[in-house]
């Protein structure tokens, strides 16, 4: 027994910021961003928080599952950009949807949604949770230094959510962490303790792009191969691959190395940029809504990023 996906949902804020908009703020161009990253535009919050996005995505997932908030036994949300450390994003969702169940957040940066999904799957496999809500939600625009062209052109805001229940559709999974702050770091608020003599860091995204790129391309290929093999499948048995949308070149590299047609990869980076823990969930929701998925098809989800971390799983639809 494992799980099946009963419903999915996604939400992005209304405001769209284009590459041309950004080129008026920093020294960049639509051409550079499209060629080096593959992003054309991103949705950016004006007044909504990561908790708000999570609530809207959760409501859509519940509607698509045909159940109400009171049917949910567990809520796990992945986020690195909540407005509050307490309450959690999951807790805010719990109240908004009228659920009466444990709710907590997990943080594994861009791999967070797949860490949250694997956590919820484990609770379902223990038998005491029948329906779980899993969410990835980010207002990364709050963590971006908008004067740094190396990062502000990459990221976007949004959320995605799944409702899961017992089933036989989670064939394999893997989670990976290689801790350390050398490659990606997002400091949190350091406080103002008169007793603290440690370094005070600015709470913005620091990313060594090239090192992250190397990590991403090696992990995406190795992880997809591993979960496919662990599921007892060949790469040719995989119908769709839903990866973290960090850079179109990473997805193209994976398709080439895995000798899989690029058409099998869900790609929406052009519209949303990198939405961290929300990206796989948003892309999966788009795949579901496209109506292309057929019962019995195999889908790999793969994510990588801060931590450093990566995660992957195989879903049978
Ligand atoms: O979600 C977490 C996981 N994240 C990732 O997987 C991200 C992985 N890394 C990447 O996607 C890429 O490394 C970036 C998109 C972040 C950067 O692309 P790059 O091809 O690695 O560029 P670079 O940092 O090596 O910079 C190349 C040049 C530099 O100029 P010089 O020194 O060669 O003159 C940069 O200053 O491009 C310049 N540059 C820009 N130019 C125009 C950097 N950002 C920009 C920009 N517009 N926005």
């Amino acid at each position: 027994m494992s799980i099946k996906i009963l419903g999915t949902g996604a939400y992005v804020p209304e405001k769209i910021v284009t590459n041309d908009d950004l080129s008026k703020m920093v020294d960049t161009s639509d051409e550079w961003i499209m060629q080096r990253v593959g992003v054309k535009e991103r949705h950016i919050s004006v007044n909504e928080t990561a908790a708000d996005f999570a609530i809207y995505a959760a409501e859509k997932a519940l509607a698509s599952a045909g159940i109400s908030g009171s049917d949910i036994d567990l809520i796990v949300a992945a986020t690195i950009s909540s407005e509050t450390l307490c309450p959690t994003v999951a807790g805010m969702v719990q109240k908004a949807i009228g659920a009466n169940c444990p709710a907590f957040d997990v943080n594994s940066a861009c791999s967070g949604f797949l860490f949250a999904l694997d956590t919820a799957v484990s609770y379902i496999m223990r038998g005491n949770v029948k329906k779980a809500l899993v969410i990835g939600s980010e207002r990364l625009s709050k963590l971006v230094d908008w004067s740094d062209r190396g990062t502000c052109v990459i990221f976007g805001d949004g959320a995605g959510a799944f409702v899961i229940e017992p089933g036989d559709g989670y064939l394999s999974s893997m989670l990976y962490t290689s801790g350390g702050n050398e490659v990606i770091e997002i400091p949190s608020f350091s406080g103002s303790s008169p007793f603290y003599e440690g370094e005070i860091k600015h709470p913005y995204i620091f990313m060594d792009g090239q090192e992250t790129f190397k990590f991403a391309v090696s992990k995406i290929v190795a992880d997809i191969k591993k979960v496919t093999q662990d599921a007892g499948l060949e790469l040719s048995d995989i119908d769709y691959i839903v990866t973290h949308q960090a850079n179109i070149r990473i997805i193209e590299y994976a398709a080439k190395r895995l000798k899989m047609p690029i058409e099998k990869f869900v790609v929406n980076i052009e519209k949303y940029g990198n939405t961290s823990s929300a990206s796989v969930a948003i892309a999966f929701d788009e795949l579901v809504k496209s109506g292309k998925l057929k019962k019995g098809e195999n889908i790999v989800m793969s994510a990588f990023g801060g931590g450093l971390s990566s995660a992957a799983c195989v879903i049978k639809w």
Side-chain angles (χ1 to χ4, degrees):
M1 194 261 286
S2 63
I3 60 107
K4 72 173 187 188
I5 298 170
L6 195 58
T8 65
Y11 176 83
V12 290
E14 207 175 302
K15 184 175 177 61
I16 292 174
V17 176
T18 65
N19 291 345
D20 290 334
D21 293 333
L22 290 179
S23 67
K24 293 179 192 122
M25 295 165 57
V26 289
D27 183 13
T28 192
S29 64
D30 178 56
E31 190 191 3
W32 190 94
I33 304 169
M34 279 302 286
Q35 271 179 11
R36 304 305 298 165
V37 200
V39 184
K40 187 85 189 160
E41 58 191 34
R42 68 287 293 144
H43 291 249
I44 297 292
S45 175
V46 174
N47 53 18
E48 294 158 327
T49 66
D52 294 326
F53 304 156
I55 291 166
Y56 305 141
E59 286 170 344
K60 290 184 182 187
L62 288 170
S64 105
I67 62 169
S68 63
S70 57
D71 297 318
I72 295 291
D73 305 312
L74 174 74
I75 304 171
V76 188
T79 188
I80 52 170
S81 54
S82 175
E83 239 52 44
T84 53
L85 292 173
C86 167
T88 58
V89 163
M92 295 294 280
V93 172
Q94 187 236 34
K95 181 171 185 201
I97 65 171
N100 178 19
C101 66
F104 57 88
D105 289 358
V106 301
N107 173 349
S108 191
C110 302
S111 314
F113 181 75
L114 295 186
F115 275 68
L117 180 62
D118 207 61
T119 305
V121 170
S122 305
Y123 278 92
I124 286 189
M125 288 173 77
R126 273 168 59 186
N128 50 350
V129 166
K130 296 294 177 219
K131 287 189 172 52
L133 190 53
V134 184
I135 305 163
S137 185
E138 304 290 3
R139 186 170 81 85
L140 289 174
S141 55
K142 130 188 211 281
L143 301 174
V144 163
D145 174 352
W146 288 94
S147 65
D148 173 14
R149 69 176 182 173
T151 51
C152 76
V153 303
I154 297 169
F155 297 103
D157 297 339
F162 287 4
V163 174
I164 61 172
E165 67 173 7
D168 293 310
Y170 195 71
L171 305 188
S172 64
S173 68
M174 59 148 293
L175 306 178
Y176 172 87
T177 304
S178 170
N181 62 353
E182 300 82 7
V183 182
I184 301 182
E185 185 178 51
I186 310 173
S188 64
F189 175 55
S190 296
S192 57
S193 165
F195 308 104
Y196 182 66
E197 293 176 0
E199 189 184 353
I200 303 287
K201 295 180 176 179
H202 292 288
Y204 293 132
I205 297 173
F206 160 80
M207 180 173 73
D208 180 334
Q210 289 189 359
E211 282 306 312
T212 310
F213 195 94
K214 282 185 219 157
F215 171 76
V217 292
S218 71
K219 286 302 285 173
I220 191 172
V221 170
D223 291 2
I224 291 171
K225 282 185 182 165
K226 177 167 173 38
V227 288
T228 301
Q229 191 178 19
D230 290 352
L233 300 172
E234 304 288 334
L235 286 173
S236 55
D237 297 322
I238 302 300
D239 298 290
Y240 294 101
I241 302 203
V242 182
T243 70
H244 176 40
Q245 309 284 308
N247 190 318
I248 188 64
R249 290 185 288 134
I250 294 172
I251 299 174
E252 287 167 352
Y253 176 89
K256 202 167 156 193
R257 282 291 300 276
L258 294 165
K259 299 191 176 61
M260 294 177 81
I262 191 80
E263 292 71 30
K264 285 195 176 187
F265 288 71
V266 177
V267 179
N268 65 11
I269 186 172
E270 192 167 327
K271 290 187 288 180
Y272 305 121
N274 176 344
T275 57
S276 190
S277 74
S279 91
V280 167
I282 294 172
F284 195 99
D285 179 64
E286 282 199 358
L287 176 61
V288 173
K289 299 281 156 44
S290 74
K292 286 192 223 159
L293 270 178
K294 295 187 205 70
K295 194 170 161 43
E297 285 189 320
N298 299 310
I299 308 131
V300 172
M301 288 191 269
S302 165
F304 48 83
L308 294 172
S309 67
S310 75
C313 64
V314 179
I315 298 282
K316 185 170 280 297
W317 192 243

